[in-house]
Amino acid sequence: MFSLGIILFEMRRRFDTGMERAQAILALRQRSQLPADFASDGANAQFGRVILQLVDHDPTRRVSCLAAAMAATGLLRKPPFFLFAEITVGS
């Protein structure tokens, strides 16, 4: 779940340089600190709360996979395509 929090953070945040990305992820991993713009933007603020729950240093306080999926789906404008896509094998 911790890794999912990092991935979700990377998906929601645009980085201009590799160093900026590395510093932001380090702050998230070590201090559970999100960039300031996450708090000011409504959608990012909601994602930020989920991300912080996913990267909690105490594994017993991290959200479950199901709770994270439900929270993330609720934050999206529409459900991810893969929830409804039909899977076809070969042609």
Side-chain angles (χ1 to χ4, degrees):
M1 296 313 301
F2 188 92
S3 298
L4 179 60
I6 300 294
I7 292 168
L8 185 58
F9 172 67
E10 288 182 288
M11 291 174 61
R12 293 295 301 182
R13 173 85 170 152
R14 182 185 174 131
F15 300 103
D16 294 325
T17 66
M19 180 57 87
E20 180 186 3
R21 177 183 168 273
Q23 289 175 338
I25 291 173
L26 187 64
L28 181 59
R29 287 179 59 208
Q30 291 182 343
R31 299 184 301 274
S32 297
Q33 179 183 357
L34 291 168
D37 63 339
F38 259 74
S40 62
D41 180 18
N44 275 343
Q46 291 176 332
F47 269 100
R49 285 190 288 278
V50 173
I51 291 167
L52 289 176
Q53 290 175 348
L54 288 167
V55 298
D56 194 308
H57 290 283
D58 181 358
T60 62
R61 293 191 324 206
R62 288 185 200 143
V63 295
S64 69
C65 184
L66 178 60
M70 290 174 62
T73 301
L75 294 175
L76 299 173
R77 294 184 193 277
K78 59 183 182 177
F81 73 91
F82 58 83
L83 292 178
F84 303 104
E86 291 184 30
I87 299 173
T88 57
V89 179
S91 50

